Amino acid sequence: MSKNRVWVRIVVLLAAVGFLFSVLVFRLAVVQLWNGPRLAEGAFRQRAVQVPLELPRGVIYDRNWRPLSDGYWRRVVVVFPGQVDRDLVVAETLGPLVNQGSDELLRRFQKARGEPWLLVPPSGEELDQAVSEGGLPGVLVTLQRVRYGPRALAGHTVGYVRPSDGTGVSGLEKAFDSVLRGRYPASILALVDGKGNLIPGLGFRRREPGQARNHLRTTLDVTVQETVESVLGKQGVRKGAVVVVDVPTGDILAVASRPGYRQDRPDLYLNSPGEPFLNRAVQAFTPGSVFKVVVAAAALEEGVVDLYDTFFCPGYVDVSGYRFGCYEKDGHGLLTFGEALARSCNAVFVEVGLRLGRERIMKYARAFGLGQSTGLPLGQEVSGHLPPPWETGPVATGNLALGQGSLTATPVQMAALVAAVANDGLKPTLRLVQEVRADGGEVKEVFPQRSPVRVISRTTARKLKTALGWTLSRGTAASLDIPAYLAAGKTGTAETGRTDSSGKKVTHAWFAGFAPLSRPRYAVVVFVEEGGAGPVAAAPIFGAIVEELLGWE
């Protein structure tokens, strides 16, 4: 064999060895650098029995960085059945300290099948002393973070998370689940060997969350939200919603829905009447006479009528053989168009609606945003319904002019509508979320305000504001104890087509208004489902809210 062939073989052998060594190094790098954290976590989990104590989840704040969920820490007892030698003895000792029967605790031991579980004990030093002195092996007292407290606000908007895995189920919790969620929860661990026994010298340990979180800053205002929820509680509203919008910007300052529910115990409401999980602020209902604001805007903008044009109301109007009755059965008599809006005269608005025609009414309904989603990050939001083209003819147009028939709208849509009137004809885009920030303060994402869109002229808007101001001085809300020059709005009583057990018509109550009248700041929409008449059920809620917000005496 020649010397050259020997060298060739040596080179080939060295190359093969070098290649195999490179593959080995690459594989070690993959294991150590790329898969190392995951494998280490898996090994850790194999020798650790753990109980989650705090969700690795960001906080949802109001516009001023005040938390909306009222989270708090509480003392809990963690029981590791695998570390308890004598279940009955521990159950008999632990029971009196946590106000539970030993038989009940023993059943929990048996049901747990070795998995750890939690107890929420009453406060007291006896339990802490018994645990610290080693009298209850396998039992530990520690602190647990509860995400939702008793003073949590805007429950339907914030939503809630599934207790078992911390996944967002509804509201902003669901819409921003991937943003808010961290990786590993804070936990209490029992480090055990292959036989499940505590490893000497390690025992129980507390583990903090394993990944930084992101936080959500909304447009809500805790002060405004508290006011709204307090008024709803005092007024005893069982079903309904309130929306408050900042007129110049379109920021939603408060949104509340009733009935409510406890975000920390959603399981208690699964079979409750009244659909407590339903966010009525973004559900569609027949608007009734609050839709007359759209008809009035269209009529004034198109020059069909002027604010001081006069009409005569005998208490009804006949259209193609169908009689539309007025709420004032004996009629309103002689009145201007502005007074007809303030006093919600059906006869005048059917006549004006017929002058306008269906298409022009629909044009302005669309311009004000009805029949389309506002784009809020709330999964339950619906777009409402505008009558289809085949719902035409004089009677259908008359119904449309009164906000009846198949027409539906959501409270947030009506809030945008009334804000446009208050904002001199510029319709703002509603906004609920401002930004996402990391734990360290870094801004991750910004949701800027959008420029408003003009839907009616400044002149038309100011005429509407004048007429809506008359609602509180000489119209359907004149009974409110509010200076008429400080607020404006429109009542609505929407027929549902149903009657109660006594044969009385079931109606929804509405009030859509703004305050103060001269320089509007708040647009407020009140909806009371099956609440009766708007002037009786909804207008007083509006009055109470704006009085609190503006501090009127």
Side-chain angles (χ1 to χ4, degrees), residues 207-247:
R207 186 188 187 203
E208 297 306 320
Q211 183 177 339
R213 305 165 300 170
N214 295 316
H215 307 282
L216 205 62
R217 182 188 180 199
T218 70
T219 63
L220 299 177
D221 187 303
V222 160
T223 302
V224 180
Q225 187 72 37
E226 286 178 337
T227 297
V228 167
E229 298 200 17
S230 173
V231 170
L232 285 173
K234 291 176 181 177
Q235 296 283 343
V237 176
R238 292 182 297 175
K239 292 194 295 185
V242 171
V243 180
V244 181
V245 171
D246 182 67
V247 169

mmCIF file of all heavy atoms in Angstrom, residues 207-247:
data_model
loop_
_atom_site.group_PDB
_atom_site.id
_atom_site.type_symbol
_atom_site.label_atom_id
_atom_site.label_comp_id
_atom_site.label_asym_id
_atom_site.label_seq_id
_atom_site.Cartn_x
_atom_site.Cartn_y
_atom_site.Cartn_z
ATOM 1 N N ARG A 207 -43.133 28.961 44.598
ATOM 2 C CA ARG A 207 -42.547 29.283 43.302
ATOM 3 C C ARG A 207 -43.270 30.488 42.697
ATOM 4 O O ARG A 207 -44.491 30.490 42.588
ATOM 5 C CB ARG A 207 -42.663 28.083 42.376
ATOM 6 C CG ARG A 207 -41.954 28.278 41.048
ATOM 7 C CD ARG A 207 -42.277 27.130 40.139
ATOM 8 N NE ARG A 207 -41.496 27.189 38.916
ATOM 9 C CZ ARG A 207 -41.848 26.603 37.798
ATOM 10 N NH1 ARG A 207 -42.973 25.922 37.745
ATOM 11 N NH2 ARG A 207 -41.094 26.682 36.721
ATOM 12 N N GLU A 208 -42.534 31.515 42.297
ATOM 13 C CA GLU A 208 -43.118 32.725 41.731
ATOM 14 C C GLU A 208 -43.384 32.527 40.237
ATOM 15 O O GLU A 208 -42.844 31.614 39.617
ATOM 16 C CB GLU A 208 -42.181 33.909 41.955
ATOM 17 C CG GLU A 208 -41.954 34.246 43.421
ATOM 18 C CD GLU A 208 -43.252 34.463 44.180
ATOM 19 O OE1 GLU A 208 -44.178 35.073 43.616
ATOM 20 O OE2 GLU A 208 -43.357 33.999 45.336
ATOM 21 N N PRO A 209 -44.236 33.398 39.639
ATOM 22 C CA PRO A 209 -44.533 33.261 38.210
ATOM 23 C C PRO A 209 -43.269 33.253 37.367
ATOM 24 O O PRO A 209 -42.292 33.942 37.673
ATOM 25 C CB PRO A 209 -45.394 34.499 37.906
ATOM 26 C CG PRO A 209 -46.005 34.855 39.210
ATOM 27 C CD PRO A 209 -44.978 34.506 40.255
ATOM 28 N N GLY A 210 -43.296 32.487 36.270
ATOM 29 C CA GLY A 210 -42.098 32.280 35.474
ATOM 30 C C GLY A 210 -41.945 33.178 34.272
ATOM 31 O O GLY A 210 -41.010 33.005 33.500
ATOM 32 N N GLN A 211 -42.873 34.119 34.038
ATOM 33 C CA GLN A 211 -42.735 34.963 32.861
ATOM 34 C C GLN A 211 -43.373 36.314 33.136
ATOM 35 O O GLN A 211 -44.407 36.416 33.790
ATOM 36 C CB GLN A 211 -43.420 34.314 31.651
ATOM 37 C CG GLN A 211 -43.260 35.121 30.366
ATOM 38 C CD GLN A 211 -43.893 34.409 29.194
ATOM 39 O OE1 GLN A 211 -44.097 33.206 29.227
ATOM 40 N NE2 GLN A 211 -44.206 35.148 28.152
ATOM 41 N N ALA A 212 -42.767 37.386 32.625
ATOM 42 C CA ALA A 212 -43.330 38.727 32.792
ATOM 43 C C ALA A 212 -44.683 38.818 32.099
ATOM 44 O O ALA A 212 -44.947 38.131 31.116
ATOM 45 C CB ALA A 212 -42.364 39.760 32.218
ATOM 46 N N ARG A 213 -45.527 39.695 32.610
ATOM 47 C CA ARG A 213 -46.888 39.814 32.092
ATOM 48 C C ARG A 213 -47.067 41.133 31.345
ATOM 49 O O ARG A 213 -46.284 42.070 31.487
ATOM 50 C CB ARG A 213 -47.879 39.756 33.248
ATOM 51 C CG ARG A 213 -47.751 38.532 34.132
ATOM 52 C CD ARG A 213 -48.492 38.736 35.438
ATOM 53 N NE ARG A 213 -47.961 39.881 36.170
ATOM 54 C CZ ARG A 213 -48.524 40.410 37.251
ATOM 55 N NH1 ARG A 213 -49.638 39.898 37.718
ATOM 56 N NH2 ARG A 213 -47.986 41.445 37.867
ATOM 57 N N ASN A 214 -48.155 41.207 30.594
ATOM 58 C CA ASN A 214 -48.585 42.459 29.982
ATOM 59 C C ASN A 214 -49.874 42.912 30.661
ATOM 60 O O ASN A 214 -50.674 42.091 31.109
ATOM 61 C CB ASN A 214 -48.830 42.279 28.484
ATOM 62 C CG ASN A 214 -47.566 41.956 27.731
ATOM 63 O OD1 ASN A 214 -46.532 42.565 27.967
ATOM 64 N ND2 ASN A 214 -47.639 40.990 26.826
ATOM 65 N N HIS A 215 -50.061 44.204 30.715
ATOM 66 C CA HIS A 215 -51.223 44.785 31.371
ATOM 67 C C HIS A 215 -52.029 45.607 30.363
ATOM 68 O O HIS A 215 -51.494 46.136 29.393
ATOM 69 C CB HIS A 215 -50.804 45.652 32.552
ATOM 70 C CG HIS A 215 -49.904 44.946 33.517
ATOM 71 N ND1 HIS A 215 -50.364 44.032 34.439
ATOM 72 C CD2 HIS A 215 -48.558 44.993 33.682
ATOM 73 C CE1 HIS A 215 -49.339 43.571 35.138
ATOM 74 N NE2 HIS A 215 -48.236 44.129 34.695
ATOM 75 N N LEU A 216 -53.331 45.725 30.639
ATOM 76 C CA LEU A 216 -54.247 46.397 29.732
ATOM 77 C C LEU A 216 -54.745 47.689 30.381
ATOM 78 O O LEU A 216 -55.247 47.671 31.504
ATOM 79 C CB LEU A 216 -55.426 45.460 29.439
ATOM 80 C CG LEU A 216 -56.190 45.650 28.134
ATOM 81 C CD1 LEU A 216 -55.277 45.428 26.943
ATOM 82 C CD2 LEU A 216 -57.373 44.701 28.084
ATOM 83 N N ARG A 217 -54.601 48.785 29.659
ATOM 84 C CA ARG A 217 -55.137 50.071 30.114
ATOM 85 C C ARG A 217 -56.350 50.409 29.267
ATOM 86 O O ARG A 217 -56.259 50.575 28.058
ATOM 87 C CB ARG A 217 -54.087 51.170 29.991
ATOM 88 C CG ARG A 217 -54.555 52.533 30.500
ATOM 89 C CD ARG A 217 -53.522 53.584 30.164
ATOM 90 N NE ARG A 217 -53.908 54.906 30.625
ATOM 91 C CZ ARG A 217 -53.391 56.037 30.161
ATOM 92 N NH1 ARG A 217 -52.452 55.992 29.217
ATOM 93 N NH2 ARG A 217 -53.784 57.203 30.618
ATOM 94 N N THR A 218 -57.495 50.486 29.905
ATOM 95 C CA THR A 218 -58.743 50.761 29.193
ATOM 96 C C THR A 218 -59.054 52.259 29.216
ATOM 97 O O THR A 218 -58.307 53.059 29.787
ATOM 98 C CB THR A 218 -59.911 49.995 29.823
ATOM 99 O OG1 THR A 218 -60.206 50.555 31.112
ATOM 100 C CG2 THR A 218 -59.587 48.514 29.976
ATOM 101 N N THR A 219 -60.182 52.626 28.618
ATOM 102 C CA THR A 219 -60.655 54.013 28.661
ATOM 103 C C THR A 219 -61.631 54.237 29.811
ATOM 104 O O THR A 219 -62.061 55.368 30.043
ATOM 105 C CB THR A 219 -61.369 54.383 27.352
ATOM 106 O OG1 THR A 219 -62.531 53.542 27.214
ATOM 107 C CG2 THR A 219 -60.466 54.176 26.155
ATOM 108 N N LEU A 220 -61.999 53.170 30.500
ATOM 109 C CA LEU A 220 -62.961 53.289 31.589
ATOM 110 C C LEU A 220 -62.419 54.178 32.702
ATOM 111 O O LEU A 220 -61.204 54.303 32.877
ATOM 112 C CB LEU A 220 -63.314 51.912 32.150
ATOM 113 C CG LEU A 220 -63.952 50.916 31.178
ATOM 114 C CD1 LEU A 220 -64.168 49.575 31.867
ATOM 115 C CD2 LEU A 220 -65.272 51.452 30.648
ATOM 116 N N ASP A 221 -63.327 54.777 33.447
ATOM 117 C CA ASP A 221 -62.962 55.624 34.575
ATOM 118 C C ASP A 221 -63.624 55.044 35.822
ATOM 119 O O ASP A 221 -64.858 54.952 35.889
ATOM 120 C CB ASP A 221 -63.437 57.062 34.337
ATOM 121 C CG ASP A 221 -62.956 58.029 35.393
ATOM 122 O OD1 ASP A 221 -63.237 57.795 36.584
ATOM 123 O OD2 ASP A 221 -62.307 59.036 35.043
ATOM 124 N N VAL A 222 -62.810 54.648 36.783
ATOM 125 C CA VAL A 222 -63.338 54.002 37.989
ATOM 126 C C VAL A 222 -64.400 54.859 38.667
ATOM 127 O O VAL A 222 -65.444 54.355 39.116
ATOM 128 C CB VAL A 222 -62.189 53.675 38.968
ATOM 129 C CG1 VAL A 222 -62.721 53.484 40.380
ATOM 130 C CG2 VAL A 222 -61.443 52.419 38.524
ATOM 131 N N THR A 223 -64.176 56.167 38.739
ATOM 132 C CA THR A 223 -65.136 57.058 39.407
ATOM 133 C C THR A 223 -66.479 57.047 38.696
ATOM 134 O O THR A 223 -67.535 56.950 39.332
ATOM 135 C CB THR A 223 -64.582 58.490 39.458
ATOM 136 O OG1 THR A 223 -63.327 58.490 40.142
ATOM 137 C CG2 THR A 223 -65.554 59.415 40.186
ATOM 138 N N VAL A 224 -66.459 57.140 37.372
ATOM 139 C CA VAL A 224 -67.702 57.128 36.596
ATOM 140 C C VAL A 224 -68.362 55.755 36.682
ATOM 141 O O VAL A 224 -69.586 55.648 36.855
ATOM 142 C CB VAL A 224 -67.420 57.503 35.129
ATOM 143 C CG1 VAL A 224 -68.713 57.494 34.312
ATOM 144 C CG2 VAL A 224 -66.755 58.866 35.044
ATOM 145 N N GLN A 225 -67.567 54.697 36.587
ATOM 146 C CA GLN A 225 -68.101 53.343 36.654
ATOM 147 C C GLN A 225 -68.760 53.086 38.014
ATOM 148 O O GLN A 225 -69.840 52.487 38.088
ATOM 149 C CB GLN A 225 -66.990 52.330 36.403
ATOM 150 C CG GLN A 225 -67.464 50.888 36.286
ATOM 151 C CD GLN A 225 -68.205 50.589 35.007
ATOM 152 O OE1 GLN A 225 -67.857 51.107 33.949
ATOM 153 N NE2 GLN A 225 -69.216 49.744 35.069
ATOM 154 N N GLU A 226 -68.102 53.508 39.081
ATOM 155 C CA GLU A 226 -68.690 53.341 40.420
ATOM 156 C C GLU A 226 -70.011 54.088 40.529
ATOM 157 O O GLU A 226 -70.970 53.581 41.133
ATOM 158 C CB GLU A 226 -67.706 53.842 41.477
ATOM 159 C CG GLU A 226 -66.534 52.922 41.720
ATOM 160 C CD GLU A 226 -65.557 53.485 42.733
ATOM 161 O OE1 GLU A 226 -65.533 54.719 42.927
ATOM 162 O OE2 GLU A 226 -64.821 52.690 43.343
ATOM 163 N N THR A 227 -70.079 55.284 39.961
ATOM 164 C CA THR A 227 -71.319 56.064 39.998
ATOM 165 C C THR A 227 -72.441 55.331 39.289
ATOM 166 O O THR A 227 -73.559 55.201 39.811
ATOM 167 C CB THR A 227 -71.095 57.435 39.340
ATOM 168 O OG1 THR A 227 -70.127 58.169 40.100
ATOM 169 C CG2 THR A 227 -72.389 58.225 39.272
ATOM 170 N N VAL A 228 -72.156 54.830 38.095
ATOM 171 C CA VAL A 228 -73.172 54.129 37.311
ATOM 172 C C VAL A 228 -73.670 52.890 38.053
ATOM 173 O O VAL A 228 -74.887 52.669 38.172
ATOM 174 C CB VAL A 228 -72.601 53.743 35.931
ATOM 175 C CG1 VAL A 228 -73.513 52.743 35.230
ATOM 176 C CG2 VAL A 228 -72.415 54.984 35.075
ATOM 177 N N GLU A 229 -72.750 52.081 38.563
ATOM 178 C CA GLU A 229 -73.157 50.846 39.220
ATOM 179 C C GLU A 229 -73.891 51.125 40.529
ATOM 180 O O GLU A 229 -74.808 50.394 40.898
ATOM 181 C CB GLU A 229 -71.933 49.957 39.432
ATOM 182 C CG GLU A 229 -71.284 49.553 38.116
ATOM 183 C CD GLU A 229 -70.394 48.332 38.219
ATOM 184 O OE1 GLU A 229 -70.509 47.590 39.205
ATOM 185 O OE2 GLU A 229 -69.589 48.101 37.292
ATOM 186 N N SER A 230 -73.505 52.188 41.222
ATOM 187 C CA SER A 230 -74.196 52.556 42.450
ATOM 188 C C SER A 230 -75.632 52.980 42.159
ATOM 189 O O SER A 230 -76.566 52.564 42.855
ATOM 190 C CB SER A 230 -73.442 53.688 43.149
ATOM 191 O OG SER A 230 -74.163 54.171 44.261
ATOM 192 N N VAL A 231 -75.816 53.790 41.127
ATOM 193 C CA VAL A 231 -77.168 54.248 40.775
ATOM 194 C C VAL A 231 -78.038 53.077 40.334
ATOM 195 O O VAL A 231 -79.211 52.976 40.731
ATOM 196 C CB VAL A 231 -77.100 55.328 39.679
ATOM 197 C CG1 VAL A 231 -78.497 55.635 39.140
ATOM 198 C CG2 VAL A 231 -76.459 56.598 40.219
ATOM 199 N N LEU A 232 -77.489 52.176 39.529
ATOM 200 C CA LEU A 232 -78.266 51.007 39.106
ATOM 201 C C LEU A 232 -78.707 50.187 40.314
ATOM 202 O O LEU A 232 -79.837 49.665 40.353
ATOM 203 C CB LEU A 232 -77.441 50.141 38.160
ATOM 204 C CG LEU A 232 -77.265 50.651 36.729
ATOM 205 C CD1 LEU A 232 -76.291 49.776 35.960
ATOM 206 C CD2 LEU A 232 -78.607 50.704 36.010
ATOM 207 N N GLY A 233 -77.814 50.066 41.299
ATOM 208 C CA GLY A 233 -78.172 49.325 42.509
ATOM 209 C C GLY A 233 -79.259 50.023 43.311
ATOM 210 O O GLY A 233 -80.227 49.381 43.758
ATOM 211 N N LYS A 234 -79.135 51.325 43.479
ATOM 212 C CA LYS A 234 -80.129 52.078 44.255
ATOM 213 C C LYS A 234 -81.486 52.086 43.566
ATOM 214 O O LYS A 234 -82.527 52.088 44.233
ATOM 215 C CB LYS A 234 -79.634 53.514 44.470
ATOM 216 C CG LYS A 234 -78.438 53.624 45.404
ATOM 217 C CD LYS A 234 -77.954 55.062 45.497
ATOM 218 C CE LYS A 234 -76.740 55.174 46.411
ATOM 219 N NZ LYS A 234 -76.209 56.564 46.464
ATOM 220 N N GLN A 235 -81.476 52.125 42.230
ATOM 221 C CA GLN A 235 -82.737 52.158 41.481
ATOM 222 C C GLN A 235 -83.354 50.765 41.336
ATOM 223 O O GLN A 235 -84.472 50.635 40.846
ATOM 224 C CB GLN A 235 -82.500 52.762 40.090
ATOM 225 C CG GLN A 235 -82.047 54.206 40.108
ATOM 226 C CD GLN A 235 -83.167 55.180 40.388
ATOM 227 O OE1 GLN A 235 -84.344 54.835 40.271
ATOM 228 N NE2 GLN A 235 -82.832 56.397 40.756
ATOM 229 N N GLY A 236 -82.609 49.740 41.746
ATOM 230 C CA GLY A 236 -83.149 48.383 41.692
ATOM 231 C C GLY A 236 -83.355 47.834 40.300
ATOM 232 O O GLY A 236 -84.292 47.055 40.060
ATOM 233 N N VAL A 237 -82.481 48.202 39.363
ATOM 234 C CA VAL A 237 -82.608 47.719 37.982
ATOM 235 C C VAL A 237 -82.236 46.243 37.930
ATOM 236 O O VAL A 237 -81.122 45.858 38.283
ATOM 237 C CB VAL A 237 -81.708 48.531 37.034
ATOM 238 C CG1 VAL A 237 -81.771 47.955 35.620
ATOM 239 C CG2 VAL A 237 -82.140 49.992 37.025
ATOM 240 N N ARG A 238 -83.145 45.416 37.465
ATOM 241 C CA ARG A 238 -82.897 43.981 37.382
ATOM 242 C C ARG A 238 -82.300 43.574 36.040
ATOM 243 O O ARG A 238 -81.432 42.702 35.973
ATOM 244 C CB ARG A 238 -84.191 43.211 37.629
ATOM 245 C CG ARG A 238 -84.718 43.327 39.059
ATOM 246 C CD ARG A 238 -85.970 42.503 39.236
ATOM 247 N NE ARG A 238 -87.055 42.986 38.385
ATOM 248 C CZ ARG A 238 -88.252 42.392 38.264
ATOM 249 N NH1 ARG A 238 -88.494 41.272 38.925
ATOM 250 N NH2 ARG A 238 -89.174 42.902 37.485
ATOM 251 N N LYS A 239 -82.787 44.205 34.951
ATOM 252 C CA LYS A 239 -82.269 43.900 33.618
ATOM 253 C C LYS A 239 -82.107 45.206 32.848
ATOM 254 O O LYS A 239 -83.065 45.992 32.770
ATOM 255 C CB LYS A 239 -83.207 42.957 32.857
ATOM 256 C CG LYS A 239 -83.288 41.555 33.428
ATOM 257 C CD LYS A 239 -83.952 40.591 32.459
ATOM 258 C CE LYS A 239 -85.406 40.924 32.211
ATOM 259 N NZ LYS A 239 -86.067 39.902 31.349
ATOM 260 N N GLY A 240 -80.905 45.412 32.312
ATOM 261 C CA GLY A 240 -80.688 46.635 31.557
ATOM 262 C C GLY A 240 -79.216 46.949 31.405
ATOM 263 O O GLY A 240 -78.353 46.114 31.684
ATOM 264 N N ALA A 241 -78.939 48.162 30.958
ATOM 265 C CA ALA A 241 -77.552 48.567 30.725
ATOM 266 C C ALA A 241 -77.447 50.080 30.738
ATOM 267 O O ALA A 241 -78.425 50.796 30.479
ATOM 268 C CB ALA A 241 -77.046 48.030 29.388
ATOM 269 N N VAL A 242 -76.236 50.553 31.056
ATOM 270 C CA VAL A 242 -75.910 51.978 30.985
ATOM 271 C C VAL A 242 -74.557 52.116 30.302
ATOM 272 O O VAL A 242 -73.631 51.351 30.583
ATOM 273 C CB VAL A 242 -75.854 52.626 32.388
ATOM 274 C CG1 VAL A 242 -75.310 54.048 32.302
ATOM 275 C CG2 VAL A 242 -77.234 52.633 33.033
ATOM 276 N N VAL A 243 -74.452 53.089 29.408
ATOM 277 C CA VAL A 243 -73.185 53.401 28.734
ATOM 278 C C VAL A 243 -72.928 54.890 28.895
ATOM 279 O O VAL A 243 -73.826 55.705 28.672
ATOM 280 C CB VAL A 243 -73.242 53.039 27.233
ATOM 281 C CG1 VAL A 243 -71.907 53.373 26.558
ATOM 282 C CG2 VAL A 243 -73.576 51.569 27.042
ATOM 283 N N VAL A 244 -71.700 55.241 29.275
ATOM 284 C CA VAL A 244 -71.290 56.646 29.388
ATOM 285 C C VAL A 244 -70.084 56.854 28.470
ATOM 286 O O VAL A 244 -69.092 56.131 28.568
ATOM 287 C CB VAL A 244 -70.924 57.029 30.829
ATOM 288 C CG1 VAL A 244 -70.531 58.500 30.905
ATOM 289 C CG2 VAL A 244 -72.090 56.747 31.778
ATOM 290 N N VAL A 245 -70.184 57.849 27.595
ATOM 291 C CA VAL A 245 -69.133 58.134 26.615
ATOM 292 C C VAL A 245 -68.637 59.561 26.800
ATOM 293 O O VAL A 245 -69.426 60.479 27.046
ATOM 294 C CB VAL A 245 -69.671 57.938 25.175
ATOM 295 C CG1 VAL A 245 -68.677 58.429 24.132
ATOM 296 C CG2 VAL A 245 -69.997 56.470 24.935
ATOM 297 N N ASP A 246 -67.317 59.726 26.679
ATOM 298 C CA ASP A 246 -66.726 61.056 26.669
ATOM 299 C C ASP A 246 -67.007 61.690 25.305
ATOM 300 O O ASP A 246 -66.528 61.194 24.272
ATOM 301 C CB ASP A 246 -65.217 60.946 26.911
ATOM 302 C CG ASP A 246 -64.547 62.302 26.957
ATOM 303 O OD1 ASP A 246 -64.821 63.067 27.890
ATOM 304 O OD2 ASP A 246 -63.736 62.585 26.049
ATOM 305 N N VAL A 247 -67.801 62.749 25.280
ATOM 306 C CA VAL A 247 -68.301 63.304 24.021
ATOM 307 C C VAL A 247 -67.188 63.732 23.065
ATOM 308 O O VAL A 247 -67.203 63.371 21.882
ATOM 309 C CB VAL A 247 -69.280 64.471 24.300
ATOM 310 C CG1 VAL A 247 -69.594 65.228 23.010
ATOM 311 C CG2 VAL A 247 -70.565 63.935 24.925
#
